[in-house]
Amino acid sequence: MSANEFSPPIADGPIVVRRHRLSTRLWHWTNVVVFLVMLMSGLMIFNAHPRLYWGDYVANPDPAWLQIGAEQERGYLRVGTLQVDTTGVLGRWQNAEGAWQNRAFPHWVTIPSSYNLALSRRWHLTFGWLFAGGLALYALISLVNGHLRRDLLPKRAELAPSHLLGDIAAHARLKFPTGEAARHYNVLQKLAYLSVLAVLLPVLVLTGLTMSPTMVAAWPWLTDLFGGRQSARSIHFIAAFAMVAFILVHLAMVALAGPINEVRSMITGRYRLPQEKTR
């Protein structure tokens, strides 16, 4: 999620441009901490009832479309009628002392590491307001400084099937832009970043609010929007893991494109354009 602010070379030699605004860098690194805390505390909250449903009101006997649990000393993940053995990873795992635990997610991916629903809710709600507030502020800044229009909205020519297929083929061959082409996001980056900023993050915030009785009492349209509180919980879970998938792909692309240059640009704002290879 960067706002590209390009400038002439800062020094002789490799071309260095000012790539990320201060507001972008602050929001990026703040989100690293905020999302990690929210994810880990959310997994502990999920451990209190490791089932997901569609609809509004449900009880334990109702069929869940996703369930993580343990039976006969074996952990499992069940999605619909498909069941996968996950012993040692999900459902049944060993804690730091080597004792077996029957709980959905293991201690090393939850906050707190020992089961405590009340404390995990405090962590989740506290950082949830930071998450929602940061998103709203960044979206407003992106509209004001033109980042959304200039850097993230794909141009019509970029959405042409031939252009899209060309970018997909280049990524499949791990062929990354160099020289002047590296100054701007390619269309796949634009679509990915715009989807996260305009779809995934707002969905996470709104579905989180839908699970709050206080917010639903004030805004009853939230339950109608997502088809009930249990549906909102399912969508919240799916969106959270879609964000995890995005982050893993993002980290892989950073590693492949040159981690030192990429990370440095998100810290200092300065980015060295990769040089074109000559025969």
Side-chain angles (χ1 to χ4, degrees), residues 46-79:
F46 181 84
N47 276 352
H49 189 78
R51 303 176 182 88
L52 294 174
Y53 312 86
W54 297 111
D56 200 359
Y57 303 104
V58 296
N60 283 345
D62 293 329
W65 71 267
L66 182 146
Q67 181 175 349
I68 302 175
E71 55 186 17
Q72 299 180 351
E73 299 186 350
R74 304 298 299 177
Y76 65 84
L77 166 65
R78 182 182 299 145
V79 180

Side-chain angles (χ1 to χ4, degrees), residues 17-85:
V17 296
R18 298 188 185 279
R19 190 177 196 188
H20 302 298
R21 297 174 186 270
L22 178 62
S23 58
T24 297
R25 304 198 307 270
L26 288 175
W27 188 68
H28 177 275
W29 293 114
T30 299
N31 266 357
V32 170
V33 177
V34 171
F35 183 76
L36 182 63
V37 171
M38 290 202 67
L39 178 66
M40 296 178 71
S41 58
L43 295 181
M44 175 57 75
I45 294 172
F46 181 84
N47 276 352
H49 189 78
R51 303 176 182 88
L52 294 174
Y53 312 86
W54 297 111
D56 200 359
Y57 303 104
V58 296
N60 283 345
D62 293 329
W65 71 267
L66 182 146
Q67 181 175 349
I68 302 175
E71 55 186 17
Q72 299 180 351
E73 299 186 350
R74 304 298 299 177
Y76 65 84
L77 166 65
R78 182 182 299 145
V79 180
T81 58
L82 174 66
Q83 181 166 313
V84 180
D85 188 295

